[in-house]
């Protein structure tokens, strides 16, 4: 029997080598991690989890949480990570849609989640940030030598939910092939080896922290410093022992604000990588001036894993996302005609390759709508490929805000605001924010005398939307600018409030 992704991870693990470094006294070797993953897989088997069952996980970052992901791969379960910021209202949708057999949450969240889980026929176990909880209690006495489920390249490994410009979130199905092919490509492209020590400060419920950072580390037999979250001070402290950092642009903006950060702190680092949101050219330039390192920017999506990367050797050009990865085809088409455009012309970025997902969970029509007839995934990003082959992302064809690397779909926020008593309508936009890149901003039209202010709106959203989706500022307006078709002109609003957070 073979397990497409996990077999390769196991084969890449060096004997007796560190995998997860928590601090100077606590390290998980590959052997430790694989043994616990076997115990957890055995415990899940005893709970009745079978290959193809979904396991939804909303827990704080920990070594045990990463090992739970490995346990799911081994047992053939489909791993479904959920942002810890999601409210119960948001969770209800994901659990109802994915119908997981098992939901793993923090002990403090058990009661609330159990009500939802029961309604959808799922069982609940717990895992806390310190590794305690009912799941590991069950795993403790189980055997470590689990017989891995047979999984082929085309089998589902994970479902990651991404919001949509219309309607509810869609679960992107990632197969064993998608994850393995992309991680091997990145490992080789970025020259990651068993000698590397990655600073892992990203959340582990998204592609960046889960697949890019973790799978690449595993497939190189490298190790990682697992930090619970990004804290510039902590990152600078651990840096002298590390060789790589992966982050969203906000990481680099915040590092540059730290007086402790500079050439000396970065002396042992061989590679700084940025992605998930556009890295400002000025951040790239300032970082290079301060440290001598050109940040390597790459471009990906939940549906496709990573598509392009600036080169390891060769020029890393600020404001570009580099070249298509070796096994990925990237093209730019005319959004009106679908015809492929020549170099330097801007259009829709489309992607094809083993990295591209299998489809949206139980949404065949939505899946079909996002692929071209010849099998390219339509990214929704506007860009061009220059005459040297570098890909540039120049805008978004989709109504999306990216704040600190998290995606926020305005439609979702607008429909929550519009339900508030006294609101006539709203438009949610992203405008430049010095820390988060874009700041979620709502322009709201109220009924006369509604008596709404910023505070009442924010508190109405509290239990409905994750904190990072909530507007940082709310602006009240008499009406929204519309074009002759009646469509709200968000570009006008973006221009009007462009200086809201930067004050320039
Ligand atoms: C936290 N807050 C945020 C964000 N994060 N608000 C807007 N955008 C955010 N990203 C809220 C907090 O709840 C808090 O609210 C207030 O803002 C300030 O929190 P702060 O302590 O400054 O935030 P933090 O905890 O330091 O987090 C900021 C962060 C974090 C480090 C940038 O958001 C982060 O790790 N982002 C990475 C996201 C990521 O991994 N994206 C990859 C997606 P209050 O104080 O009012 O309660 S994968 C992807 O995009 C594709 C595939 C790709 O290409 O990688
Ligand atoms: P997600 O839905 O979280 O997978 O986010 C994917 C989106 O993030 C892409 O469609 C892009 O719009 C954006 N993105 C990711 N990496 C970059 C980058 N390096 N530069 C600009 N945008 C990026």
């Amino acid at each position: 029997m073979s397990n497409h992704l996990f077999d390769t991870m196991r084969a890449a693990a060096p004997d007796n080598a560190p995998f997860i470094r928590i601090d100077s006294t606590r390290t998980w070797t590959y052997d430790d991690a694989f043994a616990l993953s076997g115990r957890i897989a055995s415990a899940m088997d005893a709970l009745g989890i079978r290959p193809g069952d979904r396991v939804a996980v909303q827990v704080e970052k920990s070594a045990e949480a990463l090992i739970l992901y490995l346990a799911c791969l081994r047992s053939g379960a489909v791993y479904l990570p959920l942002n810890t910021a999601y409210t119960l209202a948001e969770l209800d949708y994901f659990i109802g849609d994915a119908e997981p057999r098992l939901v793993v949450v923090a002990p403090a969240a058990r009661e609330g989640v159990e009500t939802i889980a029961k309604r959808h026929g799922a069982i609940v176990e717990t895992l806390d940030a310190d590794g305690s909880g009912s799941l590991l209690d069950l795993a403790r006495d189980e055997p470590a030598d689990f017989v891995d489920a047979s999984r082929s390249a085309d089998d589902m490994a994970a479902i990651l939910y991404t919001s949509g410009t219309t309607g509810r979130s869609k679960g992107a199905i990632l197969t064993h092939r998608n994850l393995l092919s992309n991680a091997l490509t990145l490992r080789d492209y970025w020259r990651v080896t068993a000698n590397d020590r990655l600073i892992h400060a990203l959340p582990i419920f998204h592609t960046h922290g889960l697949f890019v950072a973790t799978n690449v580390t595993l497939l190189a037999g490298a190790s990682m410093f697992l930090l619970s979250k990004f804290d510039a001070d902590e990152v600078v402290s651990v840096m002298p022992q590390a060789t790589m950092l992966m982050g969203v642009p906000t990481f680099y903006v915040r590092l540059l604000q730290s007086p402790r950060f500079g050439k000396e702190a970065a002396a042992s680092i061989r590679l700084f990588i940025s992605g998930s949101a556009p890295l400002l050219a000025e951040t790239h330039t300032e970082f290079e001036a301060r440290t001598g390192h050109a940040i390597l920017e790459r471009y990906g999506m939940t549906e496709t894993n990573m598509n392009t990367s600036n080169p390891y050797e060769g020029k890393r050009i600020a404001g570009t996302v580099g070249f298509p990865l070796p096994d990925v085809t990237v093209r730019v088409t005319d959004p009106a005609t679908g015809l492929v455009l020549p170099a330097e012309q801007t259009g829709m970025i489309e992607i094809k390759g083993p990295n591209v997902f299998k489809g949206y969970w139980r949404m065949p029509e939505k899946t079909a709508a996002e692929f071209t007839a010849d099998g390219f995934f339509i990214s929704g990003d506007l860009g061009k490929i220059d005459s040297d082959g570098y890909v540039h992302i120049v805008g978004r064809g989709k109504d999306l805000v990216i704040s600190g690397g998290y995606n926020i779909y305005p439609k979702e926020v607008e429909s929550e605001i519009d339900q508030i008593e006294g609101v006539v309508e709203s438009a949610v936009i992203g405008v430049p924010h010095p820390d988060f890149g874009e700041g979620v901003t709502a322009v709201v039209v109220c009924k006369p005398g509604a008596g709404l202010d910023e505070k009442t709106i924010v508190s109405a959203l509290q239990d409905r939307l994750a904190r990072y989706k909530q507007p940082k500022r709310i602006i009240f307006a008499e009406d929204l600018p519309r074009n002759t078709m009646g469509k709200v002109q968000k570009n006008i609003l973006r221009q009007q409030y462009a200086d809201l957070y930067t004050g320039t």
Side-chain angles (χ1 to χ4, degrees), residues 161-163 206-207 249 274-279 297-308 320-321 379-382 393 395-396 398 400 402 405-407 409:
Y161 274 84
T162 76
S163 302
H206 280 310
T207 298
S274 178
S276 308
L279 181 76
E297 185 171 7
R298 70 9 168 226
Y299 157 59
M301 294 183 70
T302 301
E303 288 92 335
T304 63
N305 296 283
M306 299 305 105
N307 303 313
T308 72
T320 82
V321 292
S379 70
D381 291 313
L382 301 175
I393 298 174
R396 291 179 205 137
K398 49 195 173 190
L400 164 71
I402 306 184
Y406 286 141
N407 288 7
Y409 281 85

Side-chain angles (χ1 to χ4, degrees), residues 433-448:
H433 188 288
D435 187 31
F436 291 125
E438 290 180 319
V440 178
T441 305
V443 184
V444 179
V445 179
C446 297
K447 285 182 189 145

Side-chain angles (χ1 to χ4, degrees), residues 340-364:
V340 178
L341 293 170
E344 302 289 352
Q345 286 198 27
T346 297
M348 177 62 71
I349 295 179
E350 297 181 351
I351 297 139
K352 193 174 189 175
N355 54 318
V356 177
F357 76 135
K358 191 174 172 139
Y360 295 113
W361 174 253
R362 291 179 180 164
M363 289 184 177

Side-chain angles (χ1 to χ4, degrees), residues 222-444:
S223 66
M224 55 167 91
F225 291 95
L226 196 74
L227 309 184
S228 59
K229 59 175 286 223
F230 178 82
D231 175 89
D233 250 3
E234 217 183 331
V235 168
V236 174
S237 298
V238 84
M239 211 170 262
Q241 304 168 66
T243 64
M244 290 174 73
L245 174 69
M246 288 182 192
V248 296
T250 301
F251 285 21
Y252 295 104
V253 169
R254 290 187 183 181
L255 278 173
L256 285 171
Q257 283 162 0
S258 164
R260 291 176 58 212
F261 180 66
K263 232 186 197 94
E264 207 176 312
S268 66
I269 301 286
R270 80 174 173 83
L271 188 56
F272 289 98
I273 300 173
S274 178
S276 308
L279 181 76
L280 291 180
E282 65 198 59
T283 310
H284 187 283
T285 312
E286 199 185 328
F287 198 91
E288 190 162 11
R290 176 97 75 95
T291 65
H293 281 278
I295 298 172
L296 180 152
E297 185 171 7
R298 70 9 168 226
Y299 157 59
M301 294 183 70
T302 301
E303 288 92 335
T304 63
N305 296 283
M306 299 305 105
N307 303 313
T308 72
S309 170
N310 269 280
Y312 186 74
E313 279 151 14
K315 207 152 172 44
R316 299 174 195 162
I317 300 182
T320 82
V321 292
F323 303 112
L325 288 166
D327 50 358
V328 180
T329 308
V330 177
R331 70 182 186 190
V332 175
T333 60
D334 182 332
T337 62
L339 292 175
V340 178
L341 293 170
E344 302 289 352
Q345 286 198 27
T346 297
M348 177 62 71
I349 295 179
E350 297 181 351
I351 297 139
K352 193 174 189 175
N355 54 318
V356 177
F357 76 135
K358 191 174 172 139
Y360 295 113
W361 174 253
R362 291 179 180 164
M363 289 184 177
E365 299 83 13
K366 285 219 162 110
T367 304
E370 300 208 15
F371 281 87
T372 62
D374 58 348
F376 278 75
F377 177 66
I378 305 164
S379 70
D381 291 313
L382 301 175
K384 65 171 189 183
I385 303 177
D386 70 21
S387 48
D388 295 322
Y390 286 82
V391 176
H392 301 235
I393 298 174
V394 298
R396 291 179 205 137
K398 49 195 173 190
D399 192 13
L400 164 71
V401 180
I402 306 184
S403 167
Y406 286 141
N407 288 7
I408 296 106
Y409 281 85
K411 181 89 174 54
E412 186 184 1
V413 185
E414 288 159 5
S415 36
E416 291 295 344
I417 295 176
D418 293 351
Q419 285 174 40
I420 299 170
E421 186 65 41
V423 169
V424 176
E425 60 174 350
S426 62
V428 169
I429 51 171
V431 295
H433 188 288
D435 187 31
F436 291 125
E438 290 180 319
V440 178
T441 305
V443 184
V444 179

